Amino acid sequence: MSCQILDGRLIARKIQDELKQKVEVLWRERQLRPHLTAVLVGADPASEVYVRNKQSACRRIGMSSDLRRLSASTSTAELLELIEQLNSDSHVHGILVQLPLPAHISAEQVLDAIDPKKDVDAFHPYNVGLVAQGRPKYLPCTPYGVLQILKHSGFTIRGQRVCIIGRSDIVGKPLASMLVQRNSPLGPDYANATVTLCHSLTPNLPNVTREADLLIAAIGQPKWVKADMVKPGAVVIDVGINRTDLGLVGDVDFESVSTIARAITPVPGGVGPLTVTMLLSNTLVAAQHSDLVSIGQCRDQTKDKKTTA
Ligand code: GUN
């Protein structure tokens, strides 16, 4: 069986072209330009690359962005102060705190402090809760990107057996929660799956993964998923990005798995470009909603002035 390579760059470009048009409409009709502020603490080389990619993607579709760089010795209190400033800055529509944070900073406290309306990563407990209840305001970027790859490649998941390897808060848990819903913002064909969420203590893991029509790897272990863990004809989505001596590799052993799978995402060039793209999409939504609030505020102010006069 020949294996289809799911080109994330191509899909990302298509979605970004659509977003660019929506950004232009927002500017034309409301003189509003979506703005993303990225916060980078320390100088982790991988995080530097991710943040740079996010900023250049913003530029490409006509959004503005800025980067707040803080030293690795920044305290939780200092970072919380910055978050407060960004929360109350009406020019900032989306706030992204690049993870991981240095170990001495409480990531939980920091993410909890972001205004849920500006939480374009969908990491705040309020947004996590809405996703879990099936009524999201924002979808977390990587899981949202996985759905977009499936949709743009013509694969549906309704009634499919899905196995996710990895129970992280960023990918595994929210993705499992999204896929079992009755519906999704992309339609019911991108929900209604039977989901198994596996992790390091799952017994007989290959027996479980081999049951899956759709296998999603998000564990951060280079080339960990081998061909004997995959059902022949399954669709395989590789969320991993691992830096090795051989360069960037995924969580899936691409060479062996692509001989047995029906379709597979490459690394790089698979899920990564979609994660960035869905961040842009969430930032656009944040700006669209903030405008409604600010129009309301403007009207209120006008009313106040008239009353005073
Ligand atoms: N670090 C790895 N992935 C992500 C992500 O999606 N968002 C943020 N903020 N940090 C990350």
Side-chain angles (χ1 to χ4, degrees):
M1 181 190 297
S2 77
C3 179
Q4 183 184 351
I5 311 298
L6 306 176
D7 185 342
R9 290 194 181 109
L10 210 65
I11 298 167
R13 206 171 306 142
K14 183 168 183 294
I15 298 173
Q16 286 186 19
D17 286 347
E18 291 163 9
L19 290 173
K20 187 167 189 238
Q21 287 178 12
K22 290 180 183 167
V23 168
E24 282 166 9
V25 169
L26 196 59
W27 177 251
R28 210 168 39 243
E29 294 185 351
R30 307 191 210 169
Q31 289 72 57
L32 188 66
R33 190 172 303 286
H35 184 91
L36 175 72
T37 294
V39 179
L40 180 59
V41 185
D44 174 64
S47 293
E48 295 263 0
V49 173
Y50 294 141
V51 167
R52 208 179 312 132
N53 286 346
K54 288 166 185 176
Q55 287 204 283
S56 51
C58 280
R59 267 194 302 280
R60 202 174 311 127
I61 69 159
M63 287 185 179
S64 62
S65 71
D66 72 319
L67 172 59
R68 305 297 179 96
R69 279 180 177 280
L70 300 176
S71 83
S73 62
T74 301
S75 66
T76 301
E78 286 166 330
L79 187 48
L80 288 174
E81 206 177 303
L82 173 62
I83 299 295
E84 267 319 301
Q85 274 174 31
L86 298 174
N87 281 344
S88 52
D89 184 341
S90 61
H91 295 106
V92 175
H93 301 113
I95 302 170
L96 170 129
V97 177
Q98 186 63 36
L99 302 178
L101 289 168
H104 67 275
I105 295 182
S106 164
E108 202 170 276
Q109 258 185 287
V110 171
L111 298 179
D112 286 4
I114 296 175
D115 181 342
K117 291 195 288 296
K118 299 188 178 190
D119 172 37
V120 287
D121 261 325
F123 290 166
H124 189 284
Y126 176 79
N127 286 317
V128 174
L130 291 182
V131 169
Q133 290 185 344
R135 50 190 189 117
K137 292 275 187 289
Y138 302 115
L139 289 176
C141 304
T142 300
Y144 196 2
V146 169
L147 291 189
Q148 293 287 2
I149 290 185
L150 293 170
K151 182 168 187 187
H152 283 80
S153 309
F155 295 110
T156 58
I157 61 156
R158 182 205 285 247
Q160 299 275 296
R161 277 180 185 271
V162 179
C163 177
I164 302 168
I165 318 176
R167 55 177 156 181
S168 69
D169 289 338
I170 296 184
V171 183
K173 276 193 267 180
L175 187 52
S177 160
M178 285 157 60
L179 297 184
V180 294
Q181 302 294 334
R182 289 176 191 279
N183 209 339
S184 102
L186 281 72
D189 281 347
Y190 299 93
N192 292 294
T194 300
V195 179
T196 308
L197 182 55
C198 297
H199 50 77
S200 51
L201 296 183
T202 302
N204 300 323
L205 189 80
N207 288 348
V208 181
T209 58
R210 269 197 306 268
E211 294 275 302
D213 306 305
L214 169 62
L215 180 60
I216 302 168
I219 39 175
Q221 299 289 337
K223 300 189 175 206
W224 197 80
V225 175
K226 306 289 185 195
D228 64 356
M229 299 171 73
V230 179
K231 177 177 171 178
V235 174
V236 179
I237 304 287
D238 189 350
V239 177
I241 303 178
N242 305 289
R243 275 150 221 281
T244 71
D245 295 342
L246 301 170
L248 287 188
V249 299
D251 290 349
V252 176
D253 181 26
F254 184 90
E255 287 70 28
S256 71
V257 172
S258 58
T259 63
I260 185 169
R262 174 172 171 198
I264 187 169
T265 54
V267 177
V271 175
L274 270 303
T275 297
V276 175
T277 303
M278 302 334 291
L279 176 72
L280 304 179
S281 174
N282 284 347
T283 306
L284 173 65
V285 170
Q288 287 167 331
H289 291 174
S290 80
D291 188 42
L292 296 178
V293 173
S294 64
I295 284 174
Q297 283 167 348
C298 288
R299 287 208 184 107
D300 287 344
Q301 281 163 11
T302 317
K303 214 165 50 189
D304 285 347
K305 272 184 198 144
K306 278 181 186 155
T307 313
T308 316

